[in-house]
Amino acid sequence: MVALTPISRKPVRFYVPTVALAGAFAGLLVGTANGSGLLGAVIGAVLLAVLAYVVTHFIDNEKPVRWAFVILFGIAGAALAGVSGAIIGLAFGWFFGWFTYWLYEGRYRARLAPYLTPGQVLWHFAFRVLVGAILIFLITPILVVMPLSFNAENFFTFTPEMLRFDPEGYSLKHYRDFFSSDDWQQALRNSLLIAPVATLLAVSFGTLAAIGLSSEHVPFRRAIMAILISPMIVPLIISAAGMYFFYSRIGLQGTYLGVVLAHAALGIPFVIITVTATLVGFDRSLTRAAASMGANPVTTFFRVQMPLILPGVISGGLFAFITSFDEVVVVLFVGSAGQKTLPWQMFTGLREQISPTILAVATILVAVSICLLTVVELLRRRSERLRGMSPG
Amino acid sequence: MSDLKSTGPQTADAPTPEDALHEVAGLEEKNGKSGGPVLAADGTPLKHSLARALRLQKLRALGLIAPLLIFVLVAFIAPIADMLFRAVENQIVSNTLPRTVQALGAWDEDASEVPPEEVYEALYYDFFIAAEARRHTRLGQRLNYENAGMSSLFRGSGRDVDDFREADVEAIQDLDDKWEDPAFWTAMMAGQGGEALIEDRRAAFMALADLDERGVFGDLQCAVSGLFGGACDPAPEDIALNFSISSEIIDLLPLTAMAYADFGVFTVLEDGDVVTEEEPWEAVLVALASDLRALTPEDLAAYEGAARDDLIAAKAAVDQIDPESFAALFTAADEDWGTRSPWLTIATYAPDYTSGYFLNAVDMQKGLDGPEARPENQQIYMMLFQRTLFMSLVITGSCILLGYPVAWLLANLPMRTANLLMILVLLPFWTSLLVRTSAWKVMLQQQGVINDTLVWLGLVDDASRLVMINNQFGTIVAMTHILLPFMILPLYSVMQTIPPSYLRAAKSLGATNWTAFWRVYFPQSVPGIGAGSILVFILSIGYYITPEIVGGTTGTFISNRIAYHISSSLNWGLAAALGSILLAVVLILYWAYDKIVGIDNVKLGG
């Protein structure tokens, strides 16, 4: 974004107190960890105020000063709390170096409309900090799980060794557990046996139905749509209860087929929704053109329609796959010990014998979902390009 | 980011037969009476051939939808219907105690404290076969949900019922060894005329033991598995029983014939034995003694069938015994049988369909004069429903509070930055539910990351770590996190359509920041709030996994109770009733969602 407002250096009475305030806050954190919060806050405020005044008044060159900040704080951190302290110190140093000049040079104003009052500027940044905190809330649990899965101990929390970045505190032990334990491997195998078959069922039936639904003359379209989408709306526990009762009546409870059917039913709404969405932009004259040139309906479908709606079909399939792969409530009721899937094994693990192997599995699953997310996103862009819409 | 949404049928492109049909109608009107109908190339009226084309298209579309529709109906809708059915079905009482239920029909609850002797007698025969088939405990368990103590009453009496009227049994058996000889019994009973009775008892036993008739569908399945070399057991309704009862015996000894038929059916279907090789059980002898006592010597003298002399001798023997009444015998086995309470329960739950489970699900029970409230200490379900609704509201509220600023920022940032930040929203959305739940367990527990950080910072004393898990707080935090993307995504897609210039226009006309937001921006974002809230609310009231893991006892939802009744307490009827109520709530909300947003506009993946 281009600069909206010409920037100018700010007076001392503005930036020195602000930097001191930030310093007091940082000092409070360091201080409470080391015994006295109040003392830490005072030291932090005074130190940062003096530093900010000195660097802006007596030194003219920005770059070396910011490097000096990083190194200075890094050394201080190392003196206080070893390797982890040094890393925190480096981060603090970088931040305060940047923060001091950001305020001093008035850079914070550059991208804002010139007519904003100081209060509005403050609100603008406070709002961003707030949203940042919410986004961190969204992402932290995942960020915490990943490092913890490399824990060398059987704890669910960071050990002192881990905080000291001692290599002894880290190991691949839980990953080894996962790959060598029969229970987990069996669960992985079951998941990989169930999810693709359920996906295949959902995608093949779902695509056909979506094509039917998108034609102009479907009687009872709304009612049919409501029925087909209902597995997504009905709470899982109710689906699970109903399926448990009904499948045990007809002898499907506790069988592989039963779980596959149940998961396929749960995945169908996602296929329907994504494929009908892709069909919105599909030009029907293409099929007519194909037919007029002598192609039969099957050829038309596979050679003309299918290639164009393929991105939608694949992303619907991915949704169906992840639904089945992540699903635990229904399989818990419809399946038996022979169909124990990965999420089921995790669920038992969380409820009964808590083992950090779960965290290793969780990390692997996060990696898998990142891959799937990327694929879906790429497909979506490709689909929009094909349909002549702009990406984004 | 994306709008993977479906809209209605497309109308924008090439003309369809329907359009042509309108066109033709217009054309014919214009031509008036002068010209005839417009004809197609093959000479048929164009209107007809267009209508045929339209019909064909409709059929083709339905043909494409049909496989999936049938699949969803069988794999998903049928189970839901079955659950609704289970919530009112109550055939277990009349299946297990058919004769007792019938006899109880004549009992006038106001006239006598306990039912008459005939009811106890019917109970004896029902109970005997139920105990042999070990089905009485199941019924006891079922009735125990309504009246605590029924389970132990049934279990205890099941053990004693074998020994009722032992004197009769011994008197007959001491008379002659013949009475213990299976072949003698078969010979005495054998004859024509009892087929209806035997089939009747077979049907009763199949109901008792939950043996389903195979029917056409089952036969087909059997034939298919036969093709692949699979064996198929004969259907219970087709197995040959290989014993018979004569009409003379039925006339002379009705109870004995019935008890013997019960015994024969049980021997063949349950034990897989041959009737001619098994000694009849005690109930047959007890029935024989009752029958003989009721006969006059003349009746017996007039009988000319097999074992006439043995029957006369047996009558002489049992006439010397003064039989204990069944009422006294049951009361001796368990004194509760002499009281009103179990009988009222049986009589109340005797019909094949009951509202009992639904009443139970709203903390009521069936009383003598219609529904009444349960005792205070047994009322938990209304509290659970209230808690579920309350916590879902809190979760929805916190999702709005946290989701609104994020969606606003995302909608107002340049596209490139917004897409980058959107990854932070989509990543948790795509991460396995269990991963997120386990992450919260790791974060919130007392030795967990948050507590450790707080202790390290000195904000919390090591000895008084915060309890943030296994309570409502844990459930709310974890579920808010899990459902937040479902709020942000619809909000974002609505906010994207609000032009930022409106806010600037409001400000340029002198509105303060707050007024501009509250009077101009917020009303336009309300549809997004509505869509997101209903979505989050629907999802949260049915949640099971997260409350189960981080909810402890105070943070659980109604769904956890449903799961408990299915897998632990085995009260399936109550689970089904609770599920039906929850389903009704969700469907109402779903309907509202459809009205406000439209099912067709459900969005996925951002």
Side-chain angles (χ1 to χ4, degrees):
Chain A
M1 207 158 132
V2 282
L4 287 172
T5 314
I7 56 173
S8 59
R9 294 197 164 167
K10 299 292 164 193
V12 176
R13 65 186 157 79
F14 165 66
Y15 68 85
V16 167
T18 317
V19 173
L21 196 69
F25 185 69
L28 184 72
L29 288 186
V30 177
T32 37
N34 287 303
S36 166
L38 190 66
L39 189 65
V42 172
I43 293 177
V46 172
L47 189 67
L48 262 300
V50 170
L51 274 177
Y53 187 77
V54 169
V55 296
T56 47
H57 273 252
F58 301 107
I59 307 169
D60 221 12
N61 204 340
E62 184 182 335
K63 269 218 167 107
V65 171
R66 287 182 60 177
W67 278 111
F69 261 76
V70 173
I71 292 164
L72 195 71
F73 275 81
I75 292 169
L80 275 174
V83 183
S84 58
I87 288 180
I88 295 175
L90 291 176
F92 270 17
W94 176 85
F95 172 78
F96 281 114
W98 168 81
F99 191 61
T100 309
Y101 279 99
W102 191 64
L103 292 172
Y104 169 59
E105 301 280 359
R107 285 176 195 151
Y108 63 95
R109 264 282 192 173
R111 292 180 180 182
L112 298 178
Y115 51 77
L116 292 186
T117 62
Q120 284 171 335
V121 173
L122 183 66
W123 165 244
H124 175 88
F125 287 107
F127 185 73
R128 263 146 219 256
V129 170
L130 178 79
V131 172
I134 298 172
L135 287 174
I136 288 173
F137 167 73
L138 268 173
I139 209 80
T140 334
I142 297 170
L143 291 184
V144 166
V145 162
M146 287 196 178
L148 275 184
S149 69
F150 295 100
N151 198 337
E153 303 288 332
N154 282 335
F155 296 140
F156 266 131
T157 185
F158 292 97
T159 54
E161 291 83 21
M162 295 185 87
L163 293 175
R164 263 190 271 120
F165 293 101
D166 186 344
E168 302 242 315
Y170 294 85
S171 82
L172 290 172
K173 178 175 150 193
H174 304 307
Y175 291 85
R176 270 198 296 279
D177 276 353
F178 172 65
F179 286 107
S180 59
S181 142
D182 282 343
D183 280 354
W184 284 106
Q185 286 305 299
Q186 184 60 42
L188 179 65
R189 248 193 312 278
N190 279 334
S191 278
L192 290 179
L193 277 177
I194 290 169
V197 182
T199 309
L200 195 69
L201 269 179
V203 168
S204 46
F205 282 141
T207 309
L208 280 186
I211 291 172
L213 276 172
S214 69
S215 100
E216 306 92 82
H217 314 287
V218 191
F220 314 117
R221 189 170 187 281
R222 276 185 80 83
I224 292 175
M225 198 71 179
I227 291 178
L228 297 186
I229 303 283
S230 60
M232 199 172 81
I233 302 293
V234 173
L236 277 176
I237 187 72
I238 294 179
S239 314
M243 285 171 173
Y244 178 69
F245 295 145
F246 186 70
Y247 286 8
S248 45
R249 243 189 239 277
I250 59 174
L252 279 178
Q253 201 272 329
T255 63
Y256 169 72
L257 185 65
V259 178
V260 167
L261 288 184
H263 277 182
L266 294 181
I268 278 167
F270 298 98
V271 179
I272 294 275
I273 289 174
T274 46
V275 178
T276 38
T278 324
L279 281 169
V280 167
F282 180 74
D283 185 357
R284 260 166 204 280
S285 23
L286 290 176
T287 56
R288 285 197 201 111
S292 79
M293 287 189 268
N296 63 30
V298 177
T299 316
T300 315
F301 175 72
F302 281 107
R303 301 280 299 275
V304 178
Q305 197 163 16
M306 196 61 186
L308 282 171
I309 62 170
L310 197 61
V313 174
I314 294 180
S315 60
L318 286 176
F319 270 108
F321 181 84
I322 204 114
T323 309
S324 166
F325 200 71
D326 276 354
E327 208 289 323
V328 56
V329 186
V330 168
V331 75
L332 214 53
F333 285 95
V334 175
S336 62
Q339 287 86 42
K340 210 168 213 189
T341 58
L342 219 45
W344 185 348
Q345 182 71 28
M346 285 181 80
F347 181 66
T348 4
L350 280 174
R351 236 180 15 174
E352 286 145 26
Q353 17 68 273
I354 291 194
S355 113
T357 313
I358 290 171
L359 298 182
V361 184
T363 309
I364 295 174
L365 288 184
V366 170
V368 171
S369 39
I370 291 177
C371 294
L372 288 183
L373 176 62
T374 319
V375 173
V376 169
E377 185 56 28
L378 291 177
L379 281 174
R380 193 183 58 77
R381 293 197 175 173
R382 184 185 140 77
S383 157
E384 285 186 350
R385 230 183 13 254
L386 282 179
R387 286 151 53 191
M389 299 178 187
S390 65
Chain B
M1 213 131 109
S2 89
D3 353 320
L4 299 170
K5 64 176 176 185
S6 76
T7 60
Q10 50 208 118
T11 46
D13 52 11
T16 69
E18 202 165 10
D19 301 334
L21 212 54
H22 291 303
E23 202 113 312
V24 171
L27 209 66
E28 283 179 2
E29 206 165 287
K30 220 176 355 179
N31 289 355
K33 289 133 206 159
S34 61
V38 182
L39 296 185
D42 58 353
T44 52
L46 185 54
K47 228 175 168 176
H48 288 191
S49 52
L50 280 175
R52 210 183 57 218
L54 187 63
R55 209 164 44 239
L56 263 175
Q57 277 207 351
K58 275 190 187 172
L59 279 179
R60 215 186 110 226
L62 279 185
L64 286 172
I65 302 172
L68 182 69
L69 196 61
I70 294 170
F71 178 82
V72 171
L73 284 177
V74 171
F76 188 78
I77 303 293
I80 301 287
D82 187 33
M83 185 192 72
L84 297 177
F85 174 66
R86 287 223 191 225
V88 293
E89 184 225 60
N90 186 45
Q91 287 163 350
I92 184 169
V93 180
S94 56
N95 279 345
T96 315
L97 306 173
R99 285 163 282 208
T100 317
V101 166
Q102 208 181 3
L104 262 179
W107 176 40
D108 180 3
E109 288 111 6
D110 301 324
S112 61
E113 175 74 15
V114 292
E117 171 69 9
E118 297 87 69
V119 176
Y120 284 97
E121 189 177 3
L123 181 67
Y124 168 71
Y125 294 113
D126 282 338
F127 221 94
F128 197 94
I129 185 165
E132 289 292 333
R134 290 187 201 86
R135 290 302 200 169
H136 62 301
T137 47
R138 217 177 48 135
L139 177 62
Q141 212 172 25
R142 158 72 187 94
L143 291 176
N144 204 54
Y145 305 140
E146 316 297 343
N147 181 355
M150 292 294 271
S151 181
S152 58
L153 173 68
F154 272 59
R155 210 176 320 113
S157 314
R159 280 193 294 271
D160 296 338
V161 84
D162 276 359
D163 304 331
F164 282 9
R165 294 209 177 167
E166 223 172 0
D168 283 351
V169 178
E170 278 165 11
I172 298 177
Q173 285 180 341
D174 288 348
L175 216 56
D176 197 319
D177 285 345
K178 272 183 195 172
W179 292 109
E180 293 174 52
D181 174 17
F184 167 75
W185 274 96
T186 344
M188 180 175 89
M189 308 303 282
Q192 298 285 316
E195 293 78 14
L197 173 71
I198 293 176
E199 284 312 311
D200 181 47
R201 297 324 301 163
R202 190 210 292 259
F205 179 74
M206 281 168 58
L208 168 70
D210 269 351
L211 299 173
D212 290 327
E213 279 192 38
R214 173 120 29 86
V216 183
F217 182 68
D219 284 342
L220 200 70
Q221 199 181 4
C222 236
V224 172
S225 78
L227 282 181
F228 297 102
C232 203
D233 294 330
E237 71 266 26
D238 294 336
I239 298 176
L241 297 172
N242 291 327
F243 74 98
S244 63
I245 299 175
S246 69
S247 49
E248 291 83 36
I249 287 286
I250 295 177
D251 291 340
L252 187 76
L253 310 167
L255 285 176
T256 320
M258 189 190 64
Y260 190 76
D262 271 345
F263 157 74
V265 169
F266 180 88
T267 310
V268 176
L269 293 189
E270 178 89 3
D271 293 345
D273 289 331
V274 183
V275 184
T276 46
E277 291 167 8
E278 297 295 313
E279 184 190 338
W281 57 34
E282 290 85 348
V284 180
L285 289 162
V286 171
L288 179 65
S290 307
D291 277 337
L292 288 174
R293 264 190 216 103
L295 288 175
T296 59
E298 293 77 43
D299 291 336
L300 208 50
Y303 169 69
E304 291 182 345
R308 175 168 175 260
D309 300 335
D310 299 298
L311 286 173
I312 294 174
K315 177 170 172 55
V318 296
D319 274 345
Q320 289 166 12
I321 303 165
D322 184 21
E324 282 178 274
S325 79
F326 285 111
L329 283 164
F330 271 106
T331 312
D334 193 314
E335 55 189 20
D336 280 354
W337 284 117
T339 63
R340 271 170 87 77
S341 149
W343 290 109
L344 280 179
T345 309
I346 294 177
T348 316
Y349 290 92
D352 283 349
Y353 298 96
T354 178
S355 57
Y357 292 122
F358 273 107
L359 289 176
N360 199 341
V362 292
D363 287 332
M364 294 171 84
Q365 61 188 2
K366 286 178 95 157
L368 268 185
D369 322 307
E372 60 191 31
R374 277 187 177 255
E376 288 274 325
N377 58 354
Q378 292 177 20
Q379 297 189 0
I380 55 167
Y381 297 112
M382 285 318 274
M383 190 269 285
L384 266 178
F385 273 116
Q386 275 164 16
R387 184 203 284 167
T388 306
L389 292 182
F390 169 75
M391 285 178 61
S392 300
L393 278 178
V394 172
I395 290 163
T396 312
S398 11
C399 279
I400 297 176
L401 276 183
L402 296 183
Y404 200 92
V406 175
W408 191 85
L409 192 68
L410 287 178
N412 286 289
L413 277 178
M415 190 59 91
R416 190 172 280 279
T417 331
N419 275 349
L420 220 63
L421 286 181
M422 189 53 115
I423 293 178
L424 297 184
V425 178
L426 286 183
L427 188 58
F429 182 71
W430 271 85
T431 310
S432 165
L433 171 69
L434 274 163
V435 172
R436 286 180 281 166
T437 308
S438 35
W440 279 109
K441 186 151 182 154
V442 169
M443 307 256 295
L444 293 176
Q445 60 185 312
Q446 285 198 284
Q447 302 299 323
V449 175
I450 292 182
N451 261 316
D452 275 357
T453 313
L454 291 177
V455 168
W456 182 70
L457 285 177
L459 295 178
V460 166
D461 191 41
D462 197 14
S464 57
R465 283 164 176 260
L466 301 179
V467 184
M468 293 184 291
I469 204 170
N470 294 335
N471 54 21
Q472 297 200 358
F473 179 80
T475 309
I476 290 175
V477 170
M479 282 183 59
T480 302
H481 173 257
I482 288 167
L483 296 174
L484 194 51
F486 291 93
M487 180 63 83
I488 294 179
L489 296 175
L491 267 178
Y492 171 67
S493 66
V494 168
M495 285 181 180
Q496 252 188 332
T497 63
I498 306 175
S501 48
Y502 285 12
L503 264 186
R504 274 184 236 138
K507 281 185 203 163
S508 77
L509 292 173
T512 62
N513 272 342
W514 171 250
T515 320
F517 167 75
W518 186 246
R519 302 273 303 273
V520 176
Y521 196 87
F522 183 78
Q524 297 185 79
S525 66
V526 165
I529 298 183
S533 305
I534 295 187
L535 197 59
V536 169
F537 194 77
I538 288 183
L539 286 171
S540 68
I541 59 174
Y543 242 61
Y544 167 65
I545 295 293
T546 309
E548 181 75 20
I549 290 174
V550 298
T553 50
T554 56
T556 50
F557 282 14
I558 194 74
S559 42
N560 302 90
R561 200 70 192 169
I562 297 177
Y564 163 78
H565 280 309
I566 293 175
S567 49
S568 304
S569 86
L570 301 182
N571 191 349
W572 289 6
L574 181 57
L578 291 171
S580 305
I581 297 177
L582 185 60
L583 181 65
V585 174
V586 170
L587 285 185
I588 293 172
L589 288 170
Y590 180 37
W591 176 81
Y593 186 86
D594 187 26
K595 285 278 155 216
I596 299 172
V597 193
I599 324 167
D600 286 355
N601 289 327
V602 180
K603 288 181 181 129
L604 290 176

